[in-house]
Coordinates of all heavy atoms in Angstrom, one line a residue:
G18 N 19.0 4.7 23.7 CA 19.0 4.2 25.1 C 17.7 4.4 25.8 O 17.7 4.2 27.0
S19 N 16.6 4.7 25.0 CA 15.3 4.9 25.7 C 14.5 3.6 25.8 O 14.6 2.9 24.9 CB 14.4 6.0 25.0 OG 14.1 5.5 23.8
L20 N 13.8 3.6 26.9 CA 12.8 2.3 27.2 C 11.6 3.1 27.4 O 11.4 3.9 28.3 CB 13.2 1.6 28.3 CG 14.6 0.6 28.1 CD1 14.9 -0.1 29.3 CD2 14.2 -0.4 26.9
K21 N 10.4 2.6 26.8 CA 9.2 3.2 27.1 C 8.3 2.0 27.6 O 8.5 0.9 27.4 CB 8.5 3.8 25.8 CG 9.2 5.0 25.5 CD 8.5 5.7 24.4 CE 9.2 7.0 24.0 NZ 8.5 7.9 23.2
E22 N 7.2 2.4 28.2 CA 6.3 1.4 28.7 C 5.1 1.2 27.8 O 4.6 2.2 27.3 CB 5.8 1.6 30.1 CG 6.7 1.1 31.3 CD 6.1 1.1 32.6 OE1 6.2 2.2 33.3 OE2 5.5 0.1 33.1
N23 N 4.7 0.0 27.6 CA 3.5 -0.4 26.9 C 2.6 -1.1 28.1 O 3.0 -1.6 28.9 CB 3.6 -1.4 25.8 CG 4.2 -0.6 24.6 OD1 4.3 0.6 24.5 ND2 4.8 -1.5 23.6
V24 N 1.3 -1.0 27.7 CA 0.2 -1.6 28.6 C -0.5 -2.7 27.7 O -0.9 -2.3 26.6 CB -0.7 -0.5 29.1 CG1 -1.9 -1.2 29.9 CG2 -0.1 0.5 29.8
R25 N -0.5 -3.8 28.2 CA -1.2 -5.0 27.6 C -2.5 -5.1 28.4 O -2.5 -5.2 29.6 CB -0.5 -6.3 27.6 CG -1.2 -7.4 26.8 CD -0.3 -8.6 26.6 NE 0.0 -9.3 27.9 CZ -0.7 -10.3 28.4 NH1 -1.7 -10.8 27.7 NH2 -0.4 -10.9 29.6
Y26 N -3.7 -5.0 27.7 CA -5.0 -5.1 28.3 C -6.0 -5.9 27.6 O -5.7 -6.2 26.4 CB -5.5 -3.7 28.5 CG -5.6 -2.8 27.3 CD1 -6.8 -2.6 26.8 CD2 -4.5 -2.1 26.8 CE1 -6.9 -1.8 25.6 CE2 -4.5 -1.4 25.7 CZ -5.8 -1.1 25.1 OH -5.8 -0.3 23.9
V27 N -7.0 -6.4 28.2 CA -8.0 -7.4 27.5 C -9.3 -6.8 27.6 O -9.7 -6.2 28.6 CB -7.9 -8.7 28.2 CG1 -8.3 -8.8 29.7 CG2 -8.7 -9.7 27.4
Q28 N -10.1 -6.9 26.6 CA -11.5 -6.4 26.5 C -12.4 -7.3 27.2 O -12.4 -8.5 27.1 CB -12.0 -6.5 25.0 CG -13.3 -5.8 24.7 CD -13.4 -5.7 23.2 OE1 -12.5 -5.4 22.4 NE2 -14.7 -6.0 22.7
L29 N -13.3 -6.7 28.1 CA -14.1 -7.5 29.1 C -15.5 -7.5 28.4 O -16.3 -8.4 28.9 CB -14.2 -6.8 30.3 CG -12.8 -6.7 31.1 CD1 -13.1 -6.1 32.4 CD2 -12.3 -8.1 31.3
D30 N -15.9 -6.7 27.5 CA -17.3 -6.7 26.9 C -17.3 -6.9 25.4 O -16.4 -6.6 24.7 CB -17.9 -5.3 27.1 CG -17.8 -4.8 28.5 OD1 -18.4 -5.5 29.4 OD2 -17.5 -3.7 28.8
A31 N -18.3 -7.8 25.0 CA -18.3 -8.0 23.6 C -18.7 -6.8 22.8 O -19.6 -5.9 23.5 CB -19.4 -9.2 23.3
G32 N -18.2 -6.4 21.8 CA -18.5 -5.2 21.0 C -18.1 -5.4 19.6 O -18.4 -6.5 19.0
H33 N -17.4 -4.5 19.0 CA -16.9 -4.6 17.7 C -16.1 -5.9 17.5 O -15.9 -6.6 16.6 CB -16.2 -3.4 17.2 CG -15.7 -3.4 15.8 ND1 -16.6 -3.4 14.7 CD2 -14.5 -3.5 15.2 CE1 -16.0 -3.4 13.6 NE2 -14.7 -3.5 13.8
Y34 N -15.2 -6.1 18.7 CA -14.4 -7.3 18.7 C -14.9 -8.1 19.8 O -15.7 -7.6 20.8 CB -12.8 -7.0 18.9 CG -12.3 -6.1 17.7 CD1 -12.1 -4.8 17.8 CD2 -12.0 -6.9 16.5 CE1 -11.6 -4.2 16.6 CE2 -11.5 -6.3 15.5 CZ -11.3 -4.9 15.5 OH -10.8 -4.3 14.4
T35 N -14.6 -9.4 19.9 CA -15.1 -10.2 21.0 C -14.5 -10.0 22.3 O -13.4 -9.5 22.4 CB -14.9 -11.8 20.5 OG1 -13.4 -12.0 20.5 CG2 -15.6 -12.1 19.3
E36 N -15.2 -10.4 23.3 CA -14.7 -10.4 24.7 C -13.5 -11.2 24.8 O -13.4 -12.3 24.2 CB -15.7 -10.9 25.6 CG -15.4 -11.0 27.1 CD -16.5 -11.7 27.9 OE1 -17.6 -11.8 27.5 OE2 -16.1 -12.2 29.0
G37 N -12.4 -10.6 25.5 CA -11.2 -11.5 25.5 C -10.1 -11.0 24.5 O -9.0 -11.5 24.6
T38 N -10.4 -10.1 23.6 CA -9.5 -9.6 22.7 C -8.4 -8.9 23.4 O -8.7 -8.1 24.4 CB -10.2 -8.7 21.7 OG1 -11.2 -9.3 20.9 CG2 -9.1 -8.1 20.7
E39 N -7.2 -9.1 23.1 CA -6.0 -8.4 23.7 C -5.5 -7.3 23.0 O -5.5 -7.4 21.7 CB -4.9 -9.4 24.0 CG -5.3 -10.4 25.2 CD -4.1 -11.2 25.6 OE1 -3.0 -11.0 25.3 OE2 -4.4 -12.1 26.6
Y40 N -5.1 -6.3 23.6 CA -4.5 -5.1 22.9 C -3.2 -4.7 23.6 O -3.0 -5.0 24.8 CB -5.4 -3.9 23.0 CG -6.8 -4.1 22.4 CD1 -7.8 -4.7 23.2 CD2 -7.0 -3.8 21.1 CE1 -9.1 -4.9 22.7 CE2 -8.3 -4.1 20.6 CZ -9.3 -4.5 21.3 OH -10.5 -4.9 20.8
V41 N -2.2 -4.0 22.9 CA -1.2 -3.4 23.6 C -1.2 -1.9 23.1 O -1.3 -1.6 21.9 CB 0.1 -4.0 23.1 CG1 1.4 -3.3 23.6 CG2 0.2 -5.6 23.5
R42 N -0.9 -1.0 24.0 CA -0.9 0.4 23.8 C 0.3 1.1 24.5 O 0.5 0.8 25.6 CB -2.2 1.0 24.1 CG -2.5 2.4 23.7 CD -3.8 2.9 24.2 NE -4.9 2.3 23.5 CZ -5.6 2.9 22.5 NH1 -5.2 4.0 22.0 NH2 -6.6 2.3 21.9

């Protein structure tokens, strides 16, 4: 019965991955 929250966020700077890469944590 548990619900947890995840955060979806997007990379703003080019780095190891390109700008615009989306993540969920």
Side-chain angles (χ1 to χ4, degrees):
S19 68
L20 291 172
K21 294 190 177 190
E22 272 193 274
N23 285 345
V24 178
R25 186 170 68 96
Y26 55 103
V27 64
Q28 185 171 322
L29 299 178
D30 305 307
H33 185 71
Y34 296 104
T35 60
E36 176 183 342
T38 301
E39 290 192 3
Y40 302 89
V41 175
R42 186 181 292 261

